[in-house]
Amino acid sequence: GNSVTQMEGPVTLSEEAFLTINCTYTATGYPSLFWYVQYPGEGLQLLLKATKADDKGSNKGFEATYRKETTSFHLEKGSVQVSDSAVYFCALRVSNFGNEKLTFGTGTRLTIIP
Amino acid sequence: GAVVSQHPSWVICKSGTSVKIECRSLDFQATTMFWYRQFPKQSLMLMATSNEGSKATYEQGVEKDKFLINHASLTLSTLTVTSAHPEDSSFYICSANPAGGISYEQYFGPGTRLTVT
């Protein structure tokens, strides 16, 4: 089956620190990979995506590279801000005859302190 | 754009009663909506997929007679938890897939916290 494992939180960093949130996956077939972010009181929002091996997704200073050899999709940001405080979810989707289900990791709560 | 709302955001009900949760796409039409359940410190678990005008498709292990889903229009899906019990207490999240949109494009509601006493 399909599954996503991401590092447990919570993660607390100082402003301008470097961020890495690890995500690994197992999947049947060729998945597309996603990072979603959930800010307090809001719904999940798509942060970035990659649809094939070696693709790099990027948005708002965040990056993640689809590594097929290590089945990983780690999220990175060079200098975090207080406004990045949120819960981050790694997810995958394997197309299956139109069944476009997303499989999520457990989420990692990130808190940035000034 | 692409806003999904849920109502209520928080509800408490007594064991044995039923509660309805609404999911609305505010500025787009959604042919497909998804219902998820999230336990503390656990990932979102897909419960069912609802398509406008047809029966919902439930995931394995989800009781369709307990979790009634209705997708009556292109902007509204409802989840009714029937004969609720304390173990149904959870955070329920919906998402919507825009009509004609890219298949992976799901927009999420803010969630509804259900507490059954």
Side-chain angles (χ1 to χ4, degrees):
Chain A
N2 302 325
S3 67
V4 176
T5 303
Q6 61 181 104
M7 64 186 288
E8 289 192 23
V11 174
T12 302
L13 294 173
S14 296
E15 204 166 19
E16 299 183 3
F18 185 86
L19 168 71
T20 300
I21 300 178
N22 290 336
C23 171
T24 57
Y25 67 89
T26 58
T28 55
Y30 301 95
S32 296
L33 302 173
F34 308 88
W35 277 100
Y36 283 84
V37 58
Q38 185 176 30
Y39 298 104
E42 299 182 17
L44 276 73
Q45 302 173 26
L46 180 62
L47 179 60
L48 53 84
K49 67 182 187 295
T51 57
K52 62 183 187 298
D54 299 326
D55 270 2
K56 176 186 285 187
S58 61
N59 186 26
K60 299 182 180 180
F62 290 89
E63 292 183 340
T65 301
Y66 188 144
R67 302 286 189 197
K68 186 179 178 182
E69 63 275 15
T70 55
T71 62
S72 65
F73 192 54
H74 304 322
L75 182 68
E76 297 182 335
K77 186 173 185 181
S79 176
V80 292
Q81 305 300 313
V82 172
S83 57
D84 294 325
S85 297
V87 181
Y88 292 81
F89 293 88
C90 186
L92 68 81
R93 178 184 67 90
V94 178
S95 291
N96 183 15
F97 299 103
N99 188 352
E100 310 291 345
K101 294 190 298 184
L102 286 167
T103 300
F104 286 90
T106 54
T108 302
R109 182 175 298 279
L110 172 67
T111 301
I112 307 301
I113 53 177
Chain B
V3 177
V4 175
S5 70
Q6 283 185 241
H7 178 78
S9 57
W10 180 57
V11 58
I12 300 175
C13 71
K14 292 187 176 180
S15 187
T17 62
S18 296
V19 61
K20 180 185 288 187
I21 302 170
E22 293 186 348
C23 175
R24 293 182 184 272
S25 55
L26 298 184
D27 49 5
F28 65 96
Q29 293 184 328
T31 50
T32 305
M33 289 185 171
F34 303 86
W35 285 96
Y36 296 85
R37 184 172 177 177
Q38 184 180 29
F39 294 98
K41 298 185 179 181
Q42 294 190 26
S43 62
L44 280 73
M45 303 299 295
L46 181 65
M47 298 175 64
T49 303
S50 74
N51 294 292
E52 187 266 337
S54 63
K55 290 184 178 180
T57 302
Y58 290 81
E59 295 300 300
Q60 192 172 10
V62 177
E63 299 176 61
K64 61 179 67 177
D65 294 331
K66 181 169 187 61
F67 298 99
L68 301 179
I69 291 172
N70 183 278
H71 193 156
S73 75
L74 287 172
T75 59
L76 174 63
S77 176
T78 60
L79 167 67
T80 301
V81 183
T82 63
S83 187
H85 289 94
E87 57 265 31
D88 299 324
S89 298
S90 192
F91 196 58
Y92 293 87
I93 300 173
C94 74
S95 70
N97 191 348
I102 304 169
S103 61
Y104 59 73
E105 192 173 17
Q106 288 187 31
Y107 297 98
F108 288 80
T112 296
R113 183 163 301 284
L114 170 64
T115 301
V116 184
T117 62

